[in-house]
Amino acid sequence: MSDWRPLIDAATPLWTGIEGYAEDRIAELVVICTTATYTDAEIRSAQARIAELRMLLALPAALESA
């Protein structure tokens, strides 16, 4: 398996695009979590996806401190 860590660079336009996408998806998923018409399972799934996206967004800082 190749080492992906050196490829994560918060200063690149690609990473800026990834951040924008992740932030947009989080906003969409928050709507699911705060709307009463969704089922508990849908809300739990949205919460899990939000957590994963937040971990993705935290990668550059985590790699800098490692």
Side-chain angles (χ1 to χ4, degrees), residues 26-56:
I26 289 171
E28 292 169 0
L29 293 166
V30 165
V31 170
I32 292 172
C33 294
T34 58
T35 303
T37 57
Y38 290 95
T39 66
D40 287 343
E42 289 170 320
I43 292 169
R44 283 192 299 275
S45 176
Q47 290 169 332
R49 288 182 277 157
I50 289 169
E52 290 173 351
L53 289 166
R54 287 186 176 153
M55 287 189 301
L56 175 70

